[in-house]
Amino acid sequence: MLKLGENPNPFEKEDTVQSHIATYYQALQEMAAGIASSDRLRDVLSAMVKDTASAMKSSGCSVLLFDPASGQLTHTVSHGLSDWYLRKGFVDADKSLGDTVEGKVVTVLDAATDPRVEYREMAQRQGIASMISVPLRQRDNIVGALRVYTREQRHFSADEIAFLSAVAGLMSLAIENAELRELETMPRTERDDMLSRPDRSRALQDLIKTNSFAHPSEEEFARLLDFYNIRWLYEPRSFTLEWDRDKVKEMFTPDFYLPELDLYVELTTMKQELMREKRRKLRRLQELYPEVNVKLLNKKDYHRLLAKYGYTPLGQPETISVDRILLSTSQIQGRVRQLGKAISRDYAGRSPLLIGILKGVVCFMSDLMRHISLPVSVDFMAISYYGAEEGSVRIMKDLDTSITGLDVIMVEDIVDTGMTLNYVLKHLAQRNPASLEVCTLLDKRVRRLVDLRLKYVGFEVPDEFLVGYGLDHQGKFRNLPFIGVITP
Ligand code: IMP
Ligand code: MG
């Protein structure tokens, strides 16, 4: 390892090294000033990548964001790289200089042959000889990578590594600064909601979404996807259909990519001559990239497509309607699968009895039990509320069998004040089960009146009226495949 100020190239004169260092100091100084003066994260980072590329005398520089859910890196703001290179495809964090997301600096001398480079041929066409990748951190997490590309083969010096690490540190600060500013402007409830969710902040999402839609229909489609909580990326990838040596002769960039459905979507107008051209390109794309799932959609089609994937139209004709989706179908399914796994692990070797209270629990129970790999039994109770006093509960249908000596798991859709569950648990405890635990999909903790031990919780939810996935409002909305918020 070289020490700071040490010269990696014995033929380079000492004063040249000194002048590099002066350049780095000046660049860092300007970047730090930029963070304080500019409002938009995208603008701040754009200026920083430009300054970094020029201070390093390199051909390109890019900030990539890491998505732990998909394990992929996405180019966000960059300088000096062609559009087709940036949109060449998803960059798998573990295939592309994988050690960066482990927190290490990675250098590549020859990108054309180094197996740690995922798209070697593309790198060669882009004229990249060497590259260096430095992790971007936020507190304990790696959120992305800062990369610099050079046209000539270069052994990166200790000074260059130190400079890039400092730039990465400033970038992390700029990101954190943008997030804090965003939190400041949010209403309190929204803020708590955001802090309680593991999603990326809006500031980071904005970096990925270019948000300059080419057509109003694209914006409408994006809004529809947002409403359904479906993650999307706008034009993240260009598929090269024909090369002319190192130049792209023809390419196709679908409008959207929906990671959860692994689907590319190209929106169309009804203009026939455009349709024909798009169809031709699409056919070519399918020949060249048979593993890619892509669909050509017009407006009517995309409503139908969303319905097919379970995002049904909100077809409840009442005046009350769903304001926004809190948890999408895929979020719910993912979490239910995890809960099923946890129960299977914790109760290994035993045969628990799952008890649900009708009717709200039907969706959750039927999905959860199919993710438990143990010989479980299932039983249901029905209760009704009576009297003016909150929490006056009467059992309308009791269990079919005895629970004495059994491992019982109470399965609940939502625990709100906790009165219902408290009553039922007391009632069940009297019958001497071997054990008695609770698995609830939703926990509206802010409204809790009775303290209860909830062993398994799917999601903590805010104090709003929720419907869907079994939850009702006056008997309706139970059949929605997602969980939404209504204002009764
Ligand atoms: P608790 O006794 O206050 O905990 O209320 C639990 C029961 O109230 C649940 O089993 C639901 O049936 C109902 N509930 C509580 N919050 C909601 C909601 O947001 N939407 C629909 N039903 C709810
Ligand atoms: Mg219930």
Side-chain angles (χ1 to χ4, degrees):
M1 187 79 187
L2 292 159
K3 294 209 187 69
L4 289 189
E6 199 172 314
N7 192 346
N9 180 350
F11 302 107
E12 198 173 34
K13 282 206 237 78
E14 193 60 27
D15 56 343
T16 334
V17 174
Q18 289 309 323
S19 89
H20 286 336
I21 291 176
T23 310
Y24 296 154
Y25 275 128
Q26 196 187 340
L28 287 173
Q29 208 171 23
E30 278 165 20
M31 289 180 201
I35 294 176
S37 69
S38 183
D39 258 2
R40 261 187 84 212
L41 182 58
R42 175 170 282 279
D43 298 340
V44 174
L45 295 183
S46 296
M48 290 175 87
V49 292
K50 228 186 248 170
D51 291 350
T52 305
S54 91
M56 297 262 306
K57 298 196 170 51
S58 64
S59 59
C61 179
S62 185
V63 174
L64 294 95
L65 283 187
F66 176 55
D67 177 12
S70 63
Q72 284 167 342
L73 289 161
T74 312
H75 284 278
T76 56
V77 283
S78 345
H79 175 75
L81 297 164
S82 14
D83 205 44
W84 59 260
Y85 183 78
L86 294 172
R87 296 180 202 268
K88 64 190 176 304
F90 294 100
V91 181
D92 272 327
D94 53 353
K95 286 194 202 130
S96 167
L97 316 188
D99 284 346
T100 315
V101 290
E102 304 290 323
K104 295 188 192 122
V105 175
V106 180
T107 60
V108 169
L109 182 62
D110 183 7
T113 57
D114 196 313
R116 292 171 302 169
V117 177
E118 189 176 7
Y119 293 90
R120 292 187 284 279
E121 194 197 323
M122 294 285 203
Q124 210 172 359
R125 285 188 203 273
Q126 177 72 95
I128 295 169
S130 298
M131 54 206 261
I132 176 167
S133 180
V134 179
L136 282 179
R137 284 170 212 280
Q138 248 187 323
R139 278 155 250 126
D140 294 334
N141 300 322
I142 307 291
V143 293
L146 169 63
R147 290 192 179 167
V148 166
Y149 309 83
T150 65
R151 226 180 283 286
E152 78 298 341
Q153 286 204 355
R154 191 187 293 190
H155 292 277
F156 293 95
S157 70
D159 287 326
E160 286 173 314
I161 294 172
F163 168 64
L164 278 184
S165 304
V167 174
L170 284 177
M171 286 180 165
S172 302
L173 278 179
I175 293 170
E176 194 148 342
N177 191 33
E179 288 178 336
L180 287 176
R181 216 167 11 216
E182 176 191 328
L183 283 175
E184 234 167 50
T185 58
M186 263 182 195
R188 176 104 186 267
T189 48
E190 218 178 298
R191 188 165 63 199
D192 292 346
D193 196 29
M194 192 185 115
L195 288 172
S196 71
R197 273 188 298 185
D199 301 2
R200 283 203 194 136
S201 66
R202 215 177 295 164
L204 288 187
Q205 280 173 15
D206 273 355
L207 268 189
I208 292 181
K209 296 178 183 178
T210 33
N211 273 349
S212 49
F213 296 112
H215 197 271
S217 71
E218 297 172 354
E219 190 167 355
E220 195 207 66
F221 187 58
R223 248 189 283 129
L224 195 65
L225 294 171
D226 280 342
F227 181 81
Y228 283 109
N229 252 344
I230 304 174
R231 287 203 305 132
W232 55 269
L233 297 166
Y234 183 62
E235 299 190 339
R237 180 166 175 190
S238 290
F239 296 90
T240 304
L241 301 182
E242 203 180 337
W243 285 102
D244 178 12
R245 288 163 169 267
D246 290 354
K247 292 223 172 59
V248 175
K249 204 166 161 202
E250 181 169 47
M251 67 177 185
F252 185 65
T253 309
D255 298 320
F256 289 91
Y257 178 65
L258 316 181
E260 285 150 46
L261 313 178
D262 187 22
L263 174 70
Y264 289 90
V265 170
E266 172 69 9
L267 300 180
T268 66
T269 55
M270 298 308 267
K271 281 207 189 105
Q272 281 313 309
E273 65 279 15
L274 286 178
M275 285 278 274
R276 198 170 318 125
E277 174 64 4
K278 276 188 181 168
R279 285 224 182 81
R280 180 189 67 77
K281 284 191 166 187
L282 223 67
R283 266 199 305 276
R284 187 83 189 111
L285 191 154
Q286 301 269 240
E287 282 165 21
L288 293 170
Y289 308 87
E291 74 289 356
V292 169
N293 188 13
V294 50
K295 283 213 160 63
L296 197 62
L297 297 181
N298 63 37
K299 195 168 180 158
K300 239 194 279 142
D301 293 334
Y302 64 68
H303 286 284
R304 221 177 293 147
L305 174 95
L306 292 175
K308 183 183 144 205
Y309 283 106
Y311 302 98
T312 55
L314 305 175
Q316 305 276 354
E318 291 89 332
T319 42
I320 296 169
S321 64
V322 176
D323 287 340
R324 69 190 168 89
I325 309 260
L326 185 69
L327 298 165
S328 70
T329 304
S330 64
Q331 280 174 300
I332 297 171
Q333 293 303 327
R335 189 69 185 122
V336 173
R337 195 175 311 124
Q338 289 173 341
L339 291 172
K341 273 196 186 148
I343 291 174
S344 309
R345 196 180 49 229
D346 296 348
Y347 287 80
R350 293 185 277 169
S351 320
L353 170 67
L354 308 178
I355 298 179
I357 302 171
L358 294 171
K359 304 168 186 158
V361 81
V362 288
C363 293
F364 181 42
M365 180 70 99
S366 75
D367 284 341
L368 178 71
M369 64 190 207
R370 281 177 286 178
H371 288 296
I372 300 176
S373 52
L374 300 169
V376 295
S377 314
V378 181
D379 206 343
F380 291 97
M381 298 171 75
I383 55 174
S384 78
Y385 299 89
Y386 67 94
E389 209 180 313
E390 218 182 325
S392 317
V393 179
R394 180 166 28 194
I395 292 174
M396 304 301 286
K397 178 210 166 297
D398 209 331
L399 298 173
D400 292 338
T401 53
S402 158
I403 60 165
T404 308
L406 297 182
D407 291 304
V408 173
I409 305 175
M410 242 347 266
V411 179
E412 261 286 41
D413 46 356
I414 182 166
V415 182
D416 186 15
T417 62
M419 304 283 233
T420 314
L421 193 57
N422 184 50
Y423 175 86
V424 174
L425 287 176
K426 272 199 190 139
H427 175 80
L428 295 178
Q430 286 167 5
R431 303 180 184 179
N432 301 315
S435 66
L436 182 57
E437 299 287 358
V438 178
C439 174
T440 183
L441 180 66
L442 307 175
D443 180 4
K444 222 189 254 182
R445 200 168 300 168
V446 287
R447 298 235 317 160
R448 194 64 36 79
L449 298 175
V450 191
D451 202 23
L452 294 168
R453 195 182 105 84
L454 307 179
K455 180 154 184 184
Y456 305 97
V457 173
F459 303 92
E460 193 179 324
V461 292
D463 184 9
E464 281 175 292
F465 200 85
L466 308 177
V467 293
Y469 196 67
L471 296 173
D472 71 310
H473 174 256
Q474 298 181 346
K476 296 279 159 43
F477 298 103
R478 291 196 201 274
N479 58 326
L480 296 178
F482 47 75
I483 292 173
V485 176
I486 60 167
T487 8

